[in-house]
C-alpha cells in the first residue's frame, strides 16, 4: 500500500500528466484522454484532503474548488483565446465563492465586479479587436511537447511537496485555530463590511491614497501609450513612410 | 466547520490555481492568454491570503487582496494598451515575434526550432465538385453588370 505522502505526490503527478496531454499540440483524442487523467488526478488529490467537519461545508467547498480548478485548467488548454477568457471568468466566480465561504463577503463581490466584470471584459474587447477569427497557429502549436512536459513537471513537484508539508503541519494548525466566538468578534463579525472599511481607512490610509495614485498613473500611462502609437503611425502615413514597421 | 482543515484545503486550492497559471504562462504563446494566466496566479495567492487571514483572525490578508485587486486592474489596463500597440506593429499576438527585441549593438539571442504549424494537418475539407460547370455566355457579359 502507498503511504500518505506517496498518495499526494502521485496524485499531483497524475494531474500534471493529464494537463500535459491536454496542452496545445495534442489532437482531440489525446485531449479527451488528458481530461480523464487530469480529472482523476485532481479527484485523487482532493480525496486525500481533510474533511471540513459538516457535510454541507464539505459539499460547498469541494464543488467550488472543483469548478475553480477545472475552469483554470480549461483556461490554459483552450485553443481559442476568447474561450480562455470566458473560462477564466468562471474560475473567478469559483474563487469568489470560496471567498464568500470563508466570510470575506466584500472580496467575493469585489472579485466579481472588478475582475469578472471589468478586467475580463476588457480582455475580451482587446481579443476581439486583435484576433477576430478565433484560433491562430500559435495557439494551436504552442512551444512543443518537451517544453510543455517540463513546464508541467515543475508545478507538479510544487503542489505535491506543498501538500506533503501541509499535511504534516495540520496538527500545528489545529492547535492555533481561533474559536468561533473570537472569529465572530473580528473577521466574521456581523457587520463585516463596516469592520473591513474601518480597518482599511484607519490602518491602511496611506496605502489607499497610494493605490488611488497608482490607478491614476496607470490610466494616464495607458492613454499615453496608445496615443503615442497613433501619433507615430499618423506621422508615418503623412510623410509617406508606407511601411508599417 | 474545522478551521484548520479549511485553511489546509484553501491553501491547496491556491497552490493548484498558482501552478496551473504558471503552466499556462510558460506553455502558451498568445500574449493575452499569458497575461490571463498571470492574473490566475494572482488569484491563487489571493485565496491563500484570505485563508491565512481567517486563520489568524486578522483583516490583514483581506487588505492585501484589496490592494492586489487594485494593482491587477492597473496592470490589466497598461498591459492591454501595450498589447494593442504591439498588435498594431506585428499583426499578431504571438510572443515569439518579439524575441529579437534587444538593444542596438547586442548580439541576437534567438530561440531556434520554435514549432511551426504542420501544413499537412491544416488542410480544410473540400466539397467534391458536382455537375458540369456552365459555359460563360459572352452576350450576357456585355450587358450584365458585375455581380
Amino acid at each position: 500500500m502507498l503511504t500518505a505522502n506517496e498518495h499526494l505526490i502521485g496524485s499531483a503527478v497524475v494531474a500534471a500528466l493529464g494537463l500535459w496531454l491536454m496542452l496545445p499540440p495534442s489532437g482531440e483524442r489525446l485531449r479527451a484522454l488528458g481530461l480523464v487523467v487530469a480529472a482523476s488526478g485532481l479527484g485523487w488529490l482532493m480525496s486525500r484532503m481533510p474533511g471540513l467537519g459538516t457535510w454541507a461545508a464539505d459539499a460547498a467547498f469541494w464543488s467550488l474548488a472543483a469548478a475553480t480548478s477545472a475552469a483554470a485548467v480549461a483556461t490554459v488548454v483552450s485553443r481559442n483565446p476568447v474561450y480562455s477568457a470566458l473560462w477564466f471568468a468562471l474560475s473567478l466566480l469559483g474563487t469568489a465563492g470560496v471567498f464568500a465561504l470563508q466570510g470575506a463577503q466584500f472580496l467575493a463581490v469585489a472579485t466579481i465586479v472588478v475582475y469578472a466584470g471589468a478586467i475580463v471584459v476588457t480582455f475580451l474587447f482587446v481579443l476581439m479587436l486583435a484576433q477576430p477569427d478565433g484560433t491562430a497557429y500559435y495557439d494551436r502549436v504552442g512551444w512543443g511537447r518537451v517544453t510543455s512536459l517540463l513546464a508541467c513537471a515543475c508545478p507538479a513537484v510544487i503542489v505535491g511537496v506543498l501538500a506533503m508539508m501541509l499535511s504534516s503541519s495540520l496538527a500545528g494548525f489545529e492547535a492555533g485555530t481561533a474559536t468561533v466566538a473570537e472569529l465572530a468578534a473580528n473577521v466574521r463579525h456581523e457587520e463585516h463590511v463596516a469592520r473591513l472599511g474601518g480597518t482599511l481607512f484607519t490602518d491602511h490610509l496611506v496605502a489607499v491614497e497610494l493605490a488611488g495614485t497608482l490607478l491614476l498613473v496607470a490610466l494616464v500611462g495607458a492613454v499615453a501609450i496608445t496615443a503615442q502609437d497613433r501619433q507615430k503611425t499618423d506621422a508615418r502615413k503623412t510623410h509617406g513612410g508606407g511601411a508599417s514597421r | 466547520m474545522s478551521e484548520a482543515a479549511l485553511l489546509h484545503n484553501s491553501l491547496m486550492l491556491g497552490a493548484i490555481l498558482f501552478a496551473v497559471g504558471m503552466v499556462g504562462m510558460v506553455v502558451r504563446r498568445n500574449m493575452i492568454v499569458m497575461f490571463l494566466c498571470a492574473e490566475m496566479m494572482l488569484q491563487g495567492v489571493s485565496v491563500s491570503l484570505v485563508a491565512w487571514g481567517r486563520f489568524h483572525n486578522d483583516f490583514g490578508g483581506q487588505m492585501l487582496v484589496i490592494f492586489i485587486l487594485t494593482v491587477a486592474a492597473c496592470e490589466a489596463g497598461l498591459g492591454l494598451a501595450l498589447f494593442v500597440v504591439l498588435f498594431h506593429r506585428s499583426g499578431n499576438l504571438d510572443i515569439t515575434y518579439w524575441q529579437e527585441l534587444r538593444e542596438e549593438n547586442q548580439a541576437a539571442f534567438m530561440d531556434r526550432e520554435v514549432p511551426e504549424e504542420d501544413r499537412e494537418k491544416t488542410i480544410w475539407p473540400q466539397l467534391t465538385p458536382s455537375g458540369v460547370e456552365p459555359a460563360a455566355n459572352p452576350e450576357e457579359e456585355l450587358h450584365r453588370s458585375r455581380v
Side-chain angles (χ1 to χ4, degrees):
Chain A
M1 287 301 285
L2 296 173
T3 63
N5 283 347
E6 284 166 0
H7 271 294
L8 294 173
I9 280 282
S11 57
V13 168
V14 169
L17 204 66
L19 180 58
W20 175 59
L21 287 177
M22 279 193 281
L23 282 172
S26 313
E28 288 294 323
R29 285 188 185 172
L30 270 182
R31 293 178 75 189
L33 178 69
L35 180 66
V36 175
V37 175
S40 51
L42 277 179
W44 185 11
L45 185 64
M46 285 177 179
S47 71
R48 304 298 301 177
M49 297 288 120
L52 294 178
T54 61
W55 68 267
D58 267 331
F61 184 85
W62 288 119
S63 49
L64 285 172
T68 309
S69 32
V73 169
T75 308
V76 173
V77 302
S78 290
R79 301 294 187 276
N80 190 333
V82 174
Y83 288 163
S84 279
L86 291 177
W87 280 115
F88 180 62
L90 182 62
S91 145
L92 286 175
L93 291 187
T95 324
V98 173
F99 285 162
L101 196 76
Q102 287 176 333
Q105 303 150 12
F106 176 76
L107 278 180
V109 176
T111 304
I112 293 179
V113 171
V114 176
Y115 257 111
I119 296 185
V120 172
V121 171
T122 324
F123 270 104
L124 283 174
F125 264 117
V126 173
L127 268 175
M128 289 175 183
L129 275 178
Q131 207 174 349
D133 47 350
T135 60
Y137 72 94
Y138 44 87
D139 283 322
R140 290 192 294 265
V141 176
W143 291 105
R145 287 199 191 284
V146 182
T147 319
S148 52
L149 181 63
L150 289 177
C152 286
C154 185
V157 172
I158 291 178
V159 171
V161 171
L162 187 81
M164 278 163 50
M165 288 174 63
L166 280 179
S167 66
S168 64
S169 52
L170 189 63
F173 291 157
E174 295 282 3
T177 45
T179 61
V180 177
E182 280 170 1
L183 279 177
N186 196 13
V187 174
R188 302 214 62 191
H189 196 270
E190 273 182 13
E191 297 178 328
H192 168 80
V193 180
R195 284 299 182 95
L196 189 77
T199 318
L200 183 64
F201 289 111
T202 52
D203 296 351
H204 302 275
L205 187 60
V206 180
V208 171
E209 298 289 341
L210 274 178
T213 318
L214 183 67
L215 276 170
L216 181 66
V217 170
L219 175 71
V220 174
V223 173
I225 288 170
T226 39
Q228 196 190 18
D229 183 59
R230 182 164 303 158
Q231 272 176 3
K232 277 188 183 165
T233 358
D234 287 349
R236 245 183 257 127
K237 272 180 195 158
T238 46
H239 294 305
S244 65
R245 188 173 170 236
Chain B
M1 195 151 68
S2 155
E3 293 295 322
L6 184 64
L7 171 67
H8 180 281
N9 295 345
S10 305
L11 289 181
M12 281 311 295
L13 179 63
I16 289 174
L17 273 182
F18 189 89
V20 172
M22 197 167 135
V23 170
M25 188 80 189
V26 176
V27 164
R28 296 301 298 261
R29 272 163 72 182
N30 190 322
M31 285 193 283
I32 291 185
V33 179
M34 288 172 73
F35 205 76
L36 276 179
C37 291
E39 303 277 332
M40 195 189 292
M41 288 162 81
L42 284 181
Q43 279 298 307
V45 175
S46 304
V47 171
S48 310
L49 280 174
V50 170
W52 279 118
R54 174 163 175 162
F55 178 72
H56 288 299
N57 197 10
D58 188 275
F59 274 118
Q62 298 190 24
M63 289 297 130
L64 201 43
V65 176
I66 291 178
F67 291 116
I68 286 181
L69 272 180
T70 319
V71 174
C74 296
E75 190 194 322
L78 280 177
L80 289 173
L82 279 173
F83 291 156
V84 170
V85 173
L86 292 181
F87 175 76
H88 274 297
R89 302 214 177 164
S90 70
N92 60 30
L93 292 170
D94 190 0
I95 196 82
T96 55
Y97 184 87
W98 298 102
Q99 62 177 339
E100 64 205 54
L101 201 64
R102 63 184 193 277
E103 289 222 355
E104 252 173 47
N105 40 28
Q106 294 289 316
F109 178 81
M110 303 273 286
D111 264 339
R112 276 171 227 108
E113 295 167 21
V114 172
E116 292 293 327
E117 190 163 39
D118 238 347
R119 283 281 155 218
E120 290 168 11
K121 284 187 185 168
T122 57
I123 294 173
W124 300 105
Q126 283 180 334
L127 294 175
T128 43
S130 64
V132 183
E133 193 179 351
N137 186 353
E139 253 179 61
E140 210 174 59
E141 306 243 315
L142 290 179
H143 58 81
R144 200 173 157 199
S145 63
R146 201 169 289 277
V147 180

